[in-house]
Amino acid sequence: MSAPNARAILVLRHFDGLSNSDCAAALGIEPKAASIRHVRALERLQKTLETMSCFCEDGRQAT
């Protein structure tokens, strides 16, 4: 999945507050594809954050 696709689904779901069905319609894809994209984008974000030393494993920001 490309970074723009990952970014788009995360923005729509978490910042714009759209449902999975609404995200799918906005992106012109099936709801199942939107769900898969969302899960993969969250996994990608988690891996990225884990590589940053300023974030702890349990999600707290390191001081």
Side-chain angles (χ1 to χ4, degrees), residues 10-32:
L10 291 175
V11 167
L12 291 171
R13 290 287 297 265
H14 296 281
F15 293 104
D16 293 343
L18 296 183
S19 68
N20 188 62
S21 297
D22 290 338
C23 289
L27 297 170
I29 58 177
E30 295 294 320
K32 178 72 175 176

Side-chain angles (χ1 to χ4, degrees), residues 29-60:
I29 58 177
E30 295 294 320
K32 178 72 175 176
S35 293
I36 291 168
R37 237 183 236 190
H38 182 239
V39 169
R40 289 182 181 161
L42 286 174
E43 289 170 349
R44 183 178 179 169
L45 178 60
Q46 181 179 9
K47 286 179 184 178
T48 299
L49 291 176
E50 285 173 354
T51 64
M52 301 172 76
S53 62
C54 63
F55 289 95
C56 298
E57 227 176 79
D58 64 2
R60 293 178 296 118

